[in-house]
């Protein structure tokens, strides 16, 4: 009779308060038909038992509410960063803590590369390397004739070897901001900001545009997601055009493609034109491609001192940060998107940025009331209790950057905003206490995608130096698991479809090797992920 | 041949697009390419574009957390890779952007030449906006980065402006001599037509110089000499190609070319004999 599959599991954590745990889930036509024990499909005439996942723990497929598609294709380049990472193919790359190790890894990559092809590294973060700064001398030791560049983790700097510098003609006569000169009067190889970096990138064929919206980039992004149990992920600030839709439809329709992709269109044009484009894109949505959301940038980053912060500013006395979109334009865009009924994901790092955006949204919502239209403050790292209260009043969601606590927490204490404000950063507890819908994210490739790690950060708030930063803002494991499933689904307006394992929802699961509710909170991030199930199709690693 | 790049900066609504449209309608004989990196890219006069230039490229405002405006630079690369380059590239910077972050590419990229930064100043709102607590510092930065300030919407010059060459857009003088590369040095076939508002000059540097010496000599040039371009002999038997705009100096190595310089300044401030004496003292 019917095509009902009954998946057996060691345990199913449903995130549905009516039935928090189960052992079986019945699936028909890609949707969850019933949840319970081995008999759960019996009222429907029973189904075919599938024991493939019988020794695994199932959770709702994780939802990454803030990441970027280039997290996949960036792995075309050789990783030389400080932290351990795993590439889309599952290969583990150990973190490198000395320049010698960086040179060694690049030398190995050099030996495997065909002659004449440039060598590109990525992910270097000098903050974590205590010895000297990477220079062209180190890279010349890798190769004297192959052009080499290493992109730093913040994407604002790179280092090139002599062969690459020679392609451009940088030399002692060069006298330009951004081309760092050494004591010997020659360029050190370090190039700062795009104007100085671009002549080298151009000659080495490094084009960031190729890291998104190309077939291999889309597919490798999906692999990144599958490895960490993510079944729905955003691409936040997409430059998607009508002409990209065919490709995305074809790829996402593929049964083997293990992801619901949610690109949010970057605001790049006049507000009306932008809204019209997003509305047209929305019509092109499918089961696995969700279009129509908007991404709006406002300020920069806290660790780059470019976030717009309120008094008393940065502890080092650095000038306040920069707006990437003028406050006037933020108002105009919020007004137009609210009028058009388009959900917005709004990047706000500093607390002045979150304030300006809430002013703009208050105005927009007064002009065009649309109950149920969800806007999300993304990162929102410096929001305090009064700002969360206001977010609640305005019916806004927040998606906090929990991974920041681990990766940059120590720096925020020592260098950016000081211990007191750092302790309240990414205030997950304050958000929940104010009654705001909460998601937490990785911003991959800025930090690696991994919702269980992100949840671990929100639960433990441990920094790289081992300190607990802001114990008062910690979440319980249950709350953190909610934030990476239903909480994140809510921010995408998809909580009626995904985020929990209950009847009527899509059969999207994360396949885990252990039970996150039974492990100690300190080991939440160590739980193995074996793959996903998407719409009832099993995608094991 | 190097492609000269000029960046038009200025806050939202200051009149950047007006400047570009006006430039497109002037009889300078150059094929312009315009890239728009701002909200509201739609206002370039299409009729002017069809008749005068190859095309306009609208870009993202380019502020993704991680790609930080790379698209703009990649698009510049695309233009350089075209088989037929335009005569001059103009980029309308974002209303909030730092025009120097773009213009610096003309100093680093060997295939580009520095064409300068012109920032459009709304004469009516500048004195308020530039002091605004939220946006003032960023807006002031746009004026400070510029070599040329173009005042729009008011005949009077605002109080809080840095000391730069200034032109009020209410005067109907051509803008091309200030914004575009001078002819005839690189293309003798298309000569710049003199205009009474501007003083043109040319001279011949007689010495061969190292890059640091040449830079030091150029740094002493009279302020009134707004644009200066040409070739100076290098010790290697090659030449230096020089593009100066305001206080900014672009020196790049070039193959051997007969040493000569051409310059232009605002007529009311210019005295070619001063320019000639500077040349004689510093480069001869
Ligand atoms: Zn991001
Ligand atoms: Zn962001």
């Amino acid at each position: 009779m019917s095509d009902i599959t009954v998946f057996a599991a060691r345990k199913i954590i449903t995130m549905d308060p009516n039935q928090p745990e189960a052992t079986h889930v019945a699936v028909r036509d890609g949707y969850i038909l019933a949840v319970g024990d081995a008999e759960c499909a019996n009222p429907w005439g029973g189904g075919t038992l599938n024991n493939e996942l019988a020794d695994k723990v199932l959770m709702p497929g994780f939802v990454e509410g803030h990441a970027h598609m280039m997290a996949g294709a960036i792995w075309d380049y050789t990783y030389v960063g400080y932290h351990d990472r795993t590439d889309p193919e599952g290969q583990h790359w150990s973190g490198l803590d000395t320049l010698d190790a960086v040179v060694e890894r690049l030398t190995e990559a050099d030996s495997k590369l065909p002659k004449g092809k440039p060598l590109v590294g990525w992910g270097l973060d000098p903050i974590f390397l205590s010895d000297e700064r990477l220079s062209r001398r180190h890279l010349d030791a890798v190769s004297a004739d192959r052009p080499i560049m290493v992109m730093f983790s913040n994407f604002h700097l790179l280092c090139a070897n002599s062969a690459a510098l020679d392609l451009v003609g940088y030399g002692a006569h060069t006298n330009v901001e951004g081309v760092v000169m050494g004591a010997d009067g020659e360029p050190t190889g370090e190039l700062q900001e795009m104007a100085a970096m671009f002549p080298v990138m151009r000659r080495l064929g490094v084009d960031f545009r190729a890291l998104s919206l190309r077939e291999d980039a889309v597919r490798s992004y999906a692999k990144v997601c599958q490895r960490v149990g993510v079944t729905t992920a955003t691409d936040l600030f997409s430059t998607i055009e009508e002409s990209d839709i065919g490709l995305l439809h074809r790829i996402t329709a593929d049964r083997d493609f293990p992801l619901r992709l949610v690109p949010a269109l970057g605001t790049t044009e006049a507000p009306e034109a932008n809204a019209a484009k997003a509305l047209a894109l929305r019509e092109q949505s499918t089961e696995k491609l969700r279009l129509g959301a908007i991404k709006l940038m406002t300020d920069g980053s806290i660790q780059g001192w470019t976030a717009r912060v309120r008094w008393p500013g940065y502890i080092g006395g650095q000038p306040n940060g920069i707006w990437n979109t003028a406050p006037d334009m933020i108002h105009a865009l919020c007004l137009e998107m609210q009028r058009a009924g388009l959900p917005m994901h709004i990047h706000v790092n500093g607390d002045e940025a979150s304030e300006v955006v809430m002013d703009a949204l208050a105005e927009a919502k007064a002009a065009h009331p649309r109950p149920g239209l969800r806007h999300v403050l993304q990162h929102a790292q410096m929001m305090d209790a009064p700002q969360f209260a206001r977010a609640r009043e305005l019916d806004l969601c927040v998606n906090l950057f929990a991974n920041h606590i681990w990766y940059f927490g120590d720096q925020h204490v020592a260098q950016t905003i000081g211990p007191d404000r750092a302790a309240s950063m990414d205030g997950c507890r304050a958000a929940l206490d104010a009654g705001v819908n909460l998601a937490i994210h990785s911003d991959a490739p800025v930090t690696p995608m991994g919702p269980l790690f992100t949840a671990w950060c929100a639960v433990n708030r441990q920094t790289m130096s081992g300190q607990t930063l802001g114990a008062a803002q910690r979440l319980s494991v249950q709350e953190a698991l909610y934030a990476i499933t239903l909480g994140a689904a809510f921010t995408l307006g998809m909580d009626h479809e995904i985020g929990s394992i209950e009847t009527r929802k899509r059969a999207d699961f994360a396949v885990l090797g252990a039970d996150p509710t039974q492990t100690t909170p300190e080991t939440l991030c160590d739980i193995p992920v074996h793959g996903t199930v998407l719409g009832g199709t099993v995608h094991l690693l | 041949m190097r492609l000269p790049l000029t960046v038009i900066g200025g806050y939202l609504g200051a009149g950047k697009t007006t400047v570009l449209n006006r430039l497109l309608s002037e009889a300078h004989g150059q094929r312009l390419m315009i890239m728009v990196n701002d909200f509201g890219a739609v206002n370039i006069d299409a009729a002017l574009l069809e008749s005068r230039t190859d095309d306009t490229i609208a870009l993202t405002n380019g502020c993704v957390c991680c790609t930080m405006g790379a698209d703009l630079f990649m698009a510049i690369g695309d233009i350089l890779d075209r088989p037929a380059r335009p005569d001059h590239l103009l980029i309308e910077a974002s209303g909030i952007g730092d025009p120097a972050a773009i213009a610096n590419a003309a100093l680093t990229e060997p295939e580009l030449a520095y064409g300068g930064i012109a920032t459009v100043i709304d004469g009516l709102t500048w004195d308020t906006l530039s002091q605004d607590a939220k946006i003032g510092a960023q807006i002031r930065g746009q004026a400070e980065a510029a070599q040329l300030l173009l005042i729009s919407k008011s005949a009077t010059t605002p109080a809080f402006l840095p000391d730069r060459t200034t032109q009020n857009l209410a005067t109907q003088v051509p803008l091309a001599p200030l914004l575009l590369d001078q002819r005839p040095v690189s293309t003798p076939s298309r000569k710049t037509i003199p205009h009474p508002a501007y003083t043109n000059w040319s001279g011949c540097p007689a010495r061969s110089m190292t890059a640091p010496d040449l830079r030091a000599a150029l740094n002493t040039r009279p302020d009134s000499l707004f644009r200066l371009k040409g070739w100076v002999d290098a010790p290697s038997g090659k030449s230096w190609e020089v593009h100066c705009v305001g206080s900014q100096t672009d020196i790049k190595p070039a193959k051997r070319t007969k040493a000569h310089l051409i310059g232009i300044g605002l007529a009311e401030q210019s005295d070619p004999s001063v320019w000639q004496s500077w040349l004689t003292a510093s480069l001869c």
Side-chain angles (χ1 to χ4, degrees), chain A residues 310-374:
Chain A
R310 293 183 298 184
W311 188 87
Y314 294 110
I315 54 171
Q318 289 87 352
N320 206 344
I322 52 161
W323 297 102
N324 284 317
T325 304
D328 287 352
M329 184 52 83
I330 293 171
H331 277 258
L333 284 161
C334 286
L335 190 67
E336 172 60 15
M337 300 311 162
Q338 175 71 18
R339 187 200 63 75
L342 292 162
M344 282 184 286
H345 298 280
I346 309 177
H347 161 119
V348 286
N349 261 319
D351 50 2
E352 190 186 36
S354 37
E355 182 176 84
V356 164
V357 164
M358 286 197 284
D359 288 347
L361 287 170
E363 211 176 271
K365 284 176 172 249
H368 306 289
R370 280 181 178 273
L373 176 60
R374 289 173 202 164

Side-chain angles (χ1 to χ4, degrees), chain A residues 169-181 185 187, chain B residues 104 107-108 211-212 215-216 219 248-252:
Chain A
Y170 284 146
H173 68 277
T174 306
N175 186 322
V176 187
E177 190 187 323
V179 180
V180 179
M181 304 300 276
Chain B
N104 279 345
L107 298 172
T108 57
R215 188 171 295 279
N219 284 346
Q248 188 60 265
T249 302
D250 174 19
I251 299 173
K252 291 197 181 98

Side-chain angles (χ1 to χ4, degrees), chain A residues 151-343:
Chain A
M151 182 65 79
F152 287 33
S153 58
N154 62 11
F155 293 91
H156 286 270
L157 286 85
L158 67 78
C159 186
N161 72 345
S162 297
L165 294 172
D166 289 347
L167 284 178
V168 180
Y170 284 146
H173 68 277
T174 306
N175 186 322
V176 187
E177 190 187 323
V179 180
V180 179
M181 304 300 276
D184 60 355
E186 295 282 333
T188 66
E190 184 169 319
L191 305 174
Q192 304 174 340
E193 300 302 334
M194 272 309 291
M197 290 156 56
F198 141 82
V200 166
M201 291 169 67
R202 179 171 174 243
R203 285 165 180 80
L204 270 57
V206 176
D207 186 339
F208 284 147
R209 294 171 300 185
L211 301 182
S212 289
L213 298 171
R214 306 287 203 275
E215 174 141 15
D216 55 342
V218 181
R219 289 196 185 277
S220 89
Y221 186 52
K223 282 185 192 165
V224 167
C225 295
Q226 182 194 353
R227 299 218 152 262
V228 292
V230 167
T231 50
T232 299
T234 49
D235 174 25
L236 233 45
F237 207 99
S238 177
T239 51
I240 188 167
E241 298 284 342
E242 275 296 323
S243 53
D244 298 313
I245 295 289
L247 174 75
L248 290 178
H249 275 165
R250 181 169 60 72
I251 297 172
T252 55
D254 191 341
R255 203 178 151 80
D256 291 336
F257 184 78
L259 184 67
R260 299 187 200 284
L261 180 64
V262 187
L265 180 69
T267 49
T268 58
E269 296 166 60
E272 297 73 23
N274 235 118
K277 189 170 164 188
L279 288 169
L281 284 171
R282 186 163 76 183
E283 298 306 308
Q284 305 269 14
S285 291
T286 64
E287 200 184 307
K288 283 157 73 180
L289 178 67
R290 298 309 175 90
L291 297 159
I294 293 281
K295 169 78 183 280
L296 168 58
M297 286 297 295
T298 65
D299 64 344
S301 74
I302 302 168
Q303 72 274 24
W305 291 279
T306 48
R308 288 293 304 197
V309 299
R310 293 183 298 184
W311 188 87
Y314 294 110
I315 54 171
Q318 289 87 352
N320 206 344
I322 52 161
W323 297 102
N324 284 317
T325 304
D328 287 352
M329 184 52 83
I330 293 171
H331 277 258
L333 284 161
C334 286
L335 190 67
E336 172 60 15
M337 300 311 162
Q338 175 71 18
R339 187 200 63 75
L342 292 162

Side-chain angles (χ1 to χ4, degrees), chain B residues 158-221:
Chain B
F160 299 124
L161 279 181
D163 182 21
R164 297 287 185 280
T165 299
T166 301
Q167 183 70 276
N168 197 304
L169 291 169
T171 62
Q172 287 306 312
V173 296
L175 298 176
L178 291 172
L179 296 176
L180 302 185
D181 230 19
Q182 304 159 81
R183 309 285 165 151
V185 171
S186 49
T187 52
S189 57
R190 288 192 233 150
K191 269 177 100 77
T192 300
I193 304 156
H195 187 277
Y198 303 104
T199 301
N200 292 77
W201 165 83
S202 67
C204 287
R207 271 205 295 144
S208 118
M209 300 176 87
T210 64
D213 288 350
L214 176 58
R215 188 171 295 279
L218 290 169
N219 284 346
T220 64
R221 67 188 181 273

